[in-house]
Amino acid sequence: MFLNKVFQNLEAPFRQSSTQTRSILLVTAFIMLTGNFSLFERILEIYPFSPYHLPFLISLALFFCILCSMFFLLISHGKATRWILA
């Protein structure tokens, strides 16, 4: 009961977000999953995958996702969003 209420409160802002914001977040996730293989490959050469380096690797991926999302949110306005994201 309590967890259900917590999840509903966490989910509420995402339900109310605009279609433009959702599409920007989806494009950002797609770019991060498909376009950064060589970046993360080079990072994993320096910092091998281990439990010790895992928090750093996760925070680095989150940082790039947030930075990319903020960039797209800043430059995408109105009907130009489709063309910018394409």
Side-chain angles (χ1 to χ4, degrees):
M1 185 69 156
F2 174 72
L3 285 176
N4 191 19
K5 186 74 170 174
V6 169
F7 286 133
Q8 286 176 353
N9 288 340
L10 288 174
E11 176 183 86
F14 296 107
R15 246 186 292 133
Q16 297 170 355
S17 66
S18 68
T19 307
Q20 178 181 355
T21 306
R22 283 187 205 151
S23 61
I24 288 172
L25 294 176
L26 279 172
V27 167
T28 301
F30 177 76
I31 289 171
M32 289 304 298
L33 291 174
T34 61
N36 290 322
F37 283 125
S38 62
L39 171 70
F40 286 111
E41 184 178 303
R42 300 288 184 204
I43 289 172
L44 287 173
E45 286 177 8
I46 298 169
Y47 300 103
F49 190 77
S50 69
Y52 178 72
H53 294 293
L54 192 61
F56 170 72
L57 295 172
I58 290 172
S59 67
L60 189 65
L62 284 174
F63 172 74
F64 283 128
C65 281
I66 291 170
L67 190 68
C68 187
S69 298
M70 286 175 50
F71 174 72
F72 282 134
L73 284 168
L74 284 173
I75 66 169
S76 300
H77 299 287
K79 294 186 185 237
T81 303
R82 272 194 321 190
W83 295 99
I84 291 170
L85 295 180

